[in-house]
Amino acid sequence: MTNKKNVLPYTKVGKKQIKVNMRGKNMNSRRIVISGLGIIAPTGIGKNGFWNGISQGQSFVSTITSFDPSNLSSQIAAEAKAFDPSKYLSLKDVKKVGRANHFAVAGAMEAIADGAFTIKDSELKDIAVIIGTNCGGVSFGEEEMKKFYSAEQKRMSTYTVTGTFSGGITGDVSIALNIKGPSFTVSSGLTSGSDSLILALQMIKSGIIKTAFAGGVEACITPGILTSLCQMGSISTSKNSDPQKASCPFSLNRDGFVLGEGGWIFILEELNHAIERGAHIYAEITGYGINCAPNNKNNRTKEVSDTIKLALKESNLNKEEINYICAHGISTISDDVVETKAIKEVFEEKAYKLPISSIKSMIGYPLGAGGSANVASSILALENDFIPPTINFDIPDPDCDLNYTPNNGIPLKITTVLSLSLGLNSGCSVIILKKYKC
């Protein structure tokens, strides 16, 4: 009989030995922090423009300018109009791929500048690129197909395949930065942006990598995607003449979400690694919850509340310690109610006092990048001790009766934020962030 005391709890990952318990979980208590933030958004480029826009309650929704939407029932979106990919890529490289890839490379470069991060030759294989997206390079492929089928050109671009498939997004970042560690795209639907951060966190905790560029990008404002969403009936169509009022999460007059776009890329690293290089630490990721129940679509509230509970347990926190919830809040009839009910189920009486807000009311819904946009907002809320508002909250919905920080942000000393991201009918991803303390 084997003496269990002599069985060493180690597993091998490449050439590295990682200490694990009997379930295969990492026993190392590594603390994972966010130390760099790169933002390409409808608000502009960089964290300052992003924070100023959402904290002041500005709407960045307008009539679409990137194509003619006049024949569609929804003609509005929150476009990243200030973005110029040629500031980050050569003109040759700009033409080879689409807007989502541009967002990813630019976001990573902005994160490097923000985090004063140096990519050392000795650590090239210890850095991962893990980015989430729902639509990937569809915008590039859609444009090439349009040219091909309209006979504008006899053939498509040589780069149509590589520019369209989602895996090219992280590949382009790795190439641009000369990073040689793991590089892959997470495309798990509308929670992709959050899921990529969770996966990066797990890989750092396990010791496989030291650092990760992780987050979400989405370039989904295209004729094909918008047409499909109009046919699905999930997007706002009633406020084309007043676009800044169109995204109104939790309000009774909401009629669907508004598309947004952009990239939110973070530098994640183990705490000691960040301290050693003298990094500014924005926040610590204390835990997460991730769930999917495709066969339980009629009880989404329970799935969302269960995921929140998982995140609290993973973080070793009780519900009283959460100061603020950065909501999914996309302005659809069903999701806003599900989210509200789930928060009540978990937080009970505290739910009515807990500040909640949705930045989608200002920047639209960037689909798979929505979770990473929420994390960026949560980090900056912690940094500034300020809750951004849910704007356009004009008519209270009896089924959405919590404190959504209506129309005006509020200063509030906060230490712990819960960020929520919901998928279509089933998935849920929750990340809890805490203000860093030694």
Side-chain angles (χ1 to χ4, degrees), residues 229-246:
L229 291 170
C230 288
Q231 292 173 349
M232 286 174 64
S234 55
I235 201 160
S236 176
T237 59
S238 67
K239 300 183 180 71
N240 289 326
S241 60
D242 192 10
Q244 293 191 336
K245 289 284 188 179

Side-chain angles (χ1 to χ4, degrees), residues 191-223:
T191 59
S192 297
S194 291
D195 295 344
S196 70
L197 290 166
I198 291 169
L199 185 53
L201 178 146
Q202 291 173 330
M203 291 184 72
I204 298 171
K205 273 186 172 290
S206 72
I208 297 173
I209 55 172
K210 292 180 180 178
T211 311
F213 288 90
V217 298
E218 204 75 276
C220 52
I221 304 173
T222 74

Side-chain angles (χ1 to χ4, degrees), residues 250 336 340-341 344 351-353 356 393 396-404:
F250 307 111
D336 289 1
T340 297
K341 288 180 177 178
K344 289 179 185 178
Y352 294 91
K353 299 177 182 178
I356 302 164
F393 190 83
D397 181 346
D399 292 325
C400 298
D401 56 351
L402 299 179
N403 174 18
Y404 305 109

Side-chain angles (χ1 to χ4, degrees), residues 103 169 198 204 412 432 436:
F103 288 154
I169 290 173
I198 291 169
I204 298 171
L412 183 71
I432 295 179
Y436 168 66

Side-chain angles (χ1 to χ4, degrees), residues 312 317-326 347 350 353-357 382 385 387 403 405 410 412-418 432-435:
L312 289 168
L317 296 171
N318 63 59
K319 62 188 178 185
E320 300 301 325
E321 295 177 270
I322 300 298
N323 306 131
Y324 163 54
I325 293 178
C326 189
F347 293 93
K350 177 183 168 68
K353 299 177 182 178
L354 188 61
I356 302 164
S357 68
L382 284 168
D385 284 320
I387 309 295
N403 174 18
T405 319
I410 55 170
L412 183 71
K413 188 171 181 59
I414 54 178
T415 59
T416 312
V417 179
L418 187 148
I432 295 179
L433 302 117
K434 201 165 188 175
K435 190 172 287 186

Side-chain angles (χ1 to χ4, degrees), residues 4 62 68-69 119 131 138 162 183 203 209 245 256 301 304 312-313 349 352 436:
K4 292 184 179 180
S62 62
D68 180 6
I119 299 175
I131 296 174
V138 166
T162 56
S183 178
M203 291 184 72
I209 55 172
K245 289 284 188 179
T301 297
V304 176
L312 289 168
K313 184 177 180 181
E349 286 305 310
Y352 294 91
Y436 168 66

Side-chain angles (χ1 to χ4, degrees), residues 110-342:
E110 288 286 334
I112 287 173
D114 177 66
F117 186 78
T118 301
I119 299 175
K120 298 178 181 178
D121 289 343
S122 61
E123 294 186 350
L124 293 179
K125 293 183 178 180
D126 294 321
I127 304 172
V129 179
I130 307 171
I131 296 174
T133 184
N134 188 62
C135 299
V138 166
S139 62
F140 185 78
E142 194 174 309
E143 187 62 29
E144 290 303 315
M145 294 290 182
K146 175 186 173 184
K147 292 176 183 177
F148 181 75
Y149 286 113
S150 65
E152 288 181 25
Q153 58 188 34
K154 293 182 179 179
R155 60 180 184 177
M156 293 181 289
S157 165
T158 307
Y159 304 104
T160 300
V161 172
T162 56
T164 302
F165 88 110
S166 297
I169 290 173
T170 45
D172 282 339
V173 175
S174 294
I175 291 168
L177 303 182
N178 192 34
I179 292 172
K180 302 184 185 301
S183 178
F184 49 87
T185 302
V186 175
S187 191
S188 51
L190 300 176
T191 59
S192 297
S194 291
D195 295 344
S196 70
L197 290 166
I198 291 169
L199 185 53
L201 178 146
Q202 291 173 330
M203 291 184 72
I204 298 171
K205 273 186 172 290
S206 72
I208 297 173
I209 55 172
K210 292 180 180 178
T211 311
F213 288 90
V217 298
E218 204 75 276
C220 52
I221 304 173
T222 74
I225 293 172
L226 186 57
T227 298
S228 177
L229 291 170
C230 288
Q231 292 173 349
M232 286 174 64
S234 55
I235 201 160
S236 176
T237 59
S238 67
K239 300 183 180 71
N240 289 326
S241 60
D242 192 10
Q244 293 191 336
K245 289 284 188 179
S247 184
C248 47
F250 307 111
S251 189
L252 185 63
N253 60 332
R254 66 191 186 279
D255 72 323
F257 66 83
V258 175
L259 275 179
E261 66 173 355
W264 291 264
I265 306 296
F266 309 88
I267 296 175
L268 272 66
E269 56 187 319
E270 194 272 328
L271 175 60
N272 291 330
H273 189 271
I275 291 173
E276 286 172 8
R277 70 179 189 85
H280 170 69
I281 297 171
Y282 283 102
E284 179 178 358
I285 302 178
T286 62
Y288 62 88
I290 189 166
N291 212 339
C292 183
N295 296 319
N296 194 21
K297 294 178 181 178
N298 294 324
N299 195 7
R300 291 190 70 206
T301 297
K302 184 179 186 305
E303 299 308 327
V304 176
S305 63
D306 283 351
T307 311
I308 294 172
K309 291 173 185 176
L310 281 172
L312 289 168
K313 184 177 180 181
E314 174 76 13
S315 298
N316 196 27
L317 296 171
N318 63 59
K319 62 188 178 185
E320 300 301 325
E321 295 177 270
I322 300 298
N323 306 131
Y324 163 54
I325 293 178
C326 189
H328 180 63
I330 61 171
S331 193
T332 59
I333 301 297
S334 60
D335 278 11
D336 289 1
V337 173
V338 165
E339 189 171 12
T340 297
K341 288 180 177 178

